[in-house]
């Protein structure tokens, strides 16, 4: 455990910060903290993420729509009970001049019906197929959401790592500047350096402490984002396994483009949309055909509520009706409806071509992004090595009073920037690989 003490003293009425109490230590693992691997992070997000669960409800909705469409193909059962009160009975006058009642004032009727569509110009079966394709679309939309969520998890995961690395780099900078301040104060006490060198060392340390605090806040925010994506409590302790390493990738552009065209959910969704549009054409075209249905009614009547018959009503009877109907002319409405749906098919075909071009562009951009990230890593590694050597030389020169304080502080600032840039390069390289996988249609 390293401790850096910052004392406050006042010179000429101005509060000058010389040392701040600051403790740098590797925190021991708390009992509630879980160390996630990337695979575990993705798996938990796919299981618990609320947004993904909301998308999954679309599959339930699509299934219910399909079942609704299927019910239109099946017979329908209906029952109806009615009561009619007449102001007077109806009479029939015979040839002998006598009147006979042929109805009663109270009339009850109970009708049980079964109707079955026989033919609807292929409209019913096309509606069912259209609704069934909705399930396939919902499943592909779910897969698309999984891909996007997996990429979000990777971004959050790598961001936690890079922020932890940044904190580590800044802690090393604070430790160095604290040690350097002790040496600078010793030189000042001996009269070897002017007071402005001492003040500059104090200011650089104070600035480094502030940067470290900001970095720690950003690291805490990165963990909160990670927890939110995994549907964990936002302040839950969490840590992730360090995988910010450099592993060169060999990428065949055309091979990845071909794979993307086969696996990307977006292309599968638009293919399903095309099939749905073709079914819509059939639904609109069903108006050209006659509609045939079969109806069966079982009827009970009477002048009492139990519909058990009367002198004026049969106790029960049945009837079967076959109905054929067809619209002969409605001023081209069906014709224009069919043309509208055919135009929608052509629109989807053109959109598919545009999507294919966009997917190829996504893959190429992801590959170029990965190539650039790979080329940056060796350069940042070399910069770190050069920065460490530059700081060593300047620090030795300062101890021998051959270099100035400014040169030492500049060397330290360059080394800190080089280290941060190196970790950022590793972050962007890992993120580039993640984006390439997403462009291909996997994770």
């Amino acid at each position: 455990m390293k401790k850096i003490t910052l004392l406050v003293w006042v010179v000429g009425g101005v509060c000058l910060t010389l040392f701040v109490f600051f403790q740098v230590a590797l925190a021991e693992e708390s009992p509630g903290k879980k160390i996630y691997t990337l695979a575990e992070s993705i798996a938990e997000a796919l299981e618990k993420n609320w947004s993904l669960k909301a998308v999954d409800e679309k599959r339930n909705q699509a299934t219910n729509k399909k079942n609704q469409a299927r019910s239109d193909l099946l017979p329908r059962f209906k029952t109806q009970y009615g009561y009619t009160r007449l102001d007077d009975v109806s009479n029939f006058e015979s040839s002998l001049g006598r009147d006979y009642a042929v109805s009663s004032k109270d009339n009850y009727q109970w009708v049980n019906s079964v109707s079955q569509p026989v033919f609807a110009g292929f409209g019913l079966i096309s509606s069912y197929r259209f609704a069934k394709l909705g399930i396939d679309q919902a499943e592909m939309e779910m897969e698309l959401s999984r891909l996007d969520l997996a990429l979000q998890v990777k971004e959050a995961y790598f961001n936690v790592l890079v922020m932890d690395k940044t904190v580590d780099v800044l802690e090393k900078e604070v430790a160095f500047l604290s040690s350097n301040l002790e040496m600078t104060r010793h030189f000042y006490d001996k009269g070897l350096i002017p007071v402005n060198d001492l003040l500059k060392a104090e200011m650089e340390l104070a600035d480094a402490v502030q940067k470290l605090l900001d970095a720690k806040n950003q690291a805490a925010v990165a963990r909160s984002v990670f927890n939110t994506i995994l549907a964990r409590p936002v302040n839950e302790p969490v840590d992730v396994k360090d995988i910010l390493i450099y592993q060169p990738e060999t990428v065949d552009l055309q091979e990845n483009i071909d794979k993307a065209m086969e696996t990307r959910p977006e292309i599968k969704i638009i293919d399903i949309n095309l099939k749905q549009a073709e079914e819509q054409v059939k639904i609109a075209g069903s108006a050209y055909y006659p509609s045939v249905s079969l109806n069966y009614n079982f009827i009970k009547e009477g002048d009492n509520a139990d519909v058990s018959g009367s002198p004026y009503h049969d106790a029960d009877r049945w009837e079967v009706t076959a109905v054929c109907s067809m619209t002969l002319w409605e001023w081209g409405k069906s014709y224009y409806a069919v043309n509208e749906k055919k135009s929608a098919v052509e629109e989807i075909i053109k959109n598919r071509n545009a999507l294919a071009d966009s997917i190829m562009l996504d893959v190429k951009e992801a590959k170029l992004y990965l190539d650039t990230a790979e080329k940056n890593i060796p350069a940042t590694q070399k910069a770190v090595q050069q920065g460490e050597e530059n700081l060593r030389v300047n620090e030795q020169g300062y101890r021998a009073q051959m270099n100035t304080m400014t040169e030492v502080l500049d060397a330290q600032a360059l080394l800190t920037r080089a280290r941060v840039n190196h970790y950022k390069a590793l972050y962007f390289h890992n993120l580039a690989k993640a984006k390439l996988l997403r462009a291909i249609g996997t994770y």
Side-chain angles (χ1 to χ4, degrees):
M1 180 177 296
K2 301 177 182 178
K3 292 183 178 179
I4 302 168
T5 305
L6 193 66
L7 305 176
V8 178
W9 62 300
V10 178
V11 177
V14 180
C15 183
L16 300 176
T17 302
L18 291 180
F19 297 101
V20 170
F21 176 77
F22 189 78
Q23 188 171 348
V24 178
L26 292 176
E28 297 181 359
E29 288 295 326
S30 61
K33 183 180 288 187
K34 175 177 174 58
I35 300 179
Y36 278 89
T37 65
L38 182 58
E40 289 173 341
S41 304
I42 294 173
E44 186 163 326
L46 294 178
E47 178 186 357
K48 298 181 177 180
N49 183 268
W50 291 111
S51 297
L52 191 64
K53 289 182 178 181
V55 174
D56 194 36
E57 289 299 323
K58 291 185 178 180
R59 289 196 295 187
N60 295 332
Q61 296 167 22
T63 299
N64 287 320
K65 286 182 179 179
K66 182 209 71 171
N67 292 337
Q68 291 177 54
R70 182 182 61 185
S71 66
D72 290 335
L73 298 170
L74 303 176
R76 298 182 182 182
F77 300 88
K78 182 179 178 182
T79 187
Q80 178 178 321
Y81 186 90
Y83 166 70
T84 303
R85 171 70 179 184
L86 302 178
D87 64 340
D88 196 4
V89 297
S90 298
N91 294 311
F92 171 75
E93 185 177 349
S94 69
S95 58
L96 300 176
R98 297 181 62 183
D99 290 339
Y100 295 93
V102 294
S103 69
S104 60
K105 290 185 178 181
D106 297 311
N107 298 274
Y108 296 85
Q109 186 182 63
W110 183 21
V111 181
N112 294 287
S113 304
V114 180
S115 61
Q116 172 65 56
V118 178
F119 180 71
F122 309 105
L124 292 178
I125 189 65
S126 294
S127 295
Y128 174 73
R129 289 170 181 165
F130 176 87
K132 191 175 180 180
L133 287 168
I135 298 178
D136 298 334
Q137 180 177 349
E139 290 176 348
M140 285 299 102
E141 289 177 351
M142 184 66 176
E143 183 60 28
L144 178 61
S145 296
R146 285 196 185 100
L147 288 176
D148 291 337
L149 179 59
L151 181 58
Q152 291 178 33
V153 173
K154 291 180 180 180
E155 289 174 340
Y157 188 99
F158 297 139
N159 196 38
V160 170
L161 286 176
V162 77
M163 289 313 306
D164 285 350
K165 296 294 186 183
T166 301
V167 168
D168 182 62
V169 169
L170 293 177
E171 284 177 342
K172 290 178 181 178
E173 182 180 41
V174 168
F176 172 81
L177 292 175
S178 177
S179 175
N180 181 71
L181 180 58
E182 293 285 348
M183 180 174 59
T184 301
R185 186 177 56 164
H186 175 72
F187 286 166
Y188 174 73
D189 291 341
K190 296 293 185 180
L192 299 176
I193 60 173
V195 68
N196 62 312
D197 279 359
L198 178 61
L199 295 175
K200 186 169 185 178
E202 294 168 355
M203 293 171 59
E204 289 292 336
L205 176 58
D207 183 63
V209 169
Q210 182 60 48
K211 289 179 180 178
L212 177 58
L213 292 175
D214 289 342
K216 286 189 172 182
N217 286 336
Q218 293 180 43
V221 171
R223 279 172 167 75
S224 296
V225 172
F226 180 84
N227 282 335
T228 301
I229 294 174
L230 269 63
R232 303 175 78 241
V234 69
N235 292 324
E236 190 78 10
V238 64
D239 213 341
V240 296
K241 185 177 180 181
D242 187 0
I243 56 172
L244 281 182
I245 56 176
Y246 172 51
Q247 292 181 338
E249 298 285 335
T250 301
V251 178
D252 186 303
L253 179 59
Q254 189 57 50
E255 180 181 340
N256 281 285
I257 288 176
D258 294 341
K259 185 176 181 180
M261 296 302 296
E262 293 177 2
T263 60
R264 283 280 289 264
E266 295 94 329
I267 204 75
K268 294 180 180 180
I269 289 173
I270 204 167
D271 284 341
I272 292 171
N273 293 155
L274 181 58
K275 292 178 181 179
Q276 288 178 319
E278 290 170 347
E279 294 298 335
Q280 290 276 35
V281 173
K282 296 177 183 178
I283 293 172
S286 65
Y288 291 138
Y289 298 90
S291 175
V292 180
S293 63
L294 190 65
N295 303 308
Y296 169 82
N297 295 322
F298 180 75
I299 306 166
K300 290 179 67 66
E301 294 178 319
D303 52 13
N304 292 306
D306 61 0
V307 291
S308 57
S310 74
Y312 314 106
H313 302 91
D314 291 334
D316 55 67
R317 58 190 173 88
W318 61 267
E319 59 186 31
V320 176
T321 305
V323 179
C324 179
S325 64
M326 182 176 184
T327 301
L328 298 178
W329 182 253
E330 51 183 349
W331 306 100
K333 181 179 179 180
S334 299
Y335 171 79
Y336 295 124
V338 170
N339 283 349
E340 176 194 354
K341 300 306 179 182
K342 287 182 177 179
S343 177
V345 170
E346 293 300 319
E347 177 187 359
I348 293 174
I349 291 173
K350 292 175 174 62
N351 284 334
R352 190 189 190 282
N353 293 334
L355 177 61
D357 291 342
S358 178
I359 289 174
M360 289 187 284
L361 180 60
D362 286 347
V363 176
K364 184 172 182 178
E365 286 182 339
K367 180 184 182 301
L368 293 174
Y369 184 61
L370 178 60
D371 291 343
T372 301
E374 285 188 347
K375 291 175 182 177
N376 285 338
I377 292 176
T380 59
Q381 286 177 326
K382 186 175 181 180
V384 170
Q385 295 170 357
Q386 292 172 336
E388 291 173 344
E389 179 63 17
N390 181 47
L391 178 60
R392 186 189 66 80
V393 171
N394 278 282
E395 188 179 14
Q396 287 181 351
Y398 181 63
R399 291 178 182 275
Q401 289 294 289
M402 297 176 62
N403 291 82
T404 66
M405 169 58 61
T406 300
E407 290 174 320
V408 175
L409 295 177
D410 288 345
Q412 175 58 42
L414 287 173
L415 176 57
T416 297
R417 186 162 65 246
R419 285 171 172 168
V420 171
N421 287 341
H422 175 60
Y423 288 125
K424 285 184 177 179
L426 290 173
Y427 163 77
F428 285 121
H429 178 255
N430 282 272
L431 189 58
K433 290 194 290 185
K435 289 184 175 180
L436 178 60
L437 290 175
R438 172 62 184 86
I440 295 172
T442 185
Y443 56 85

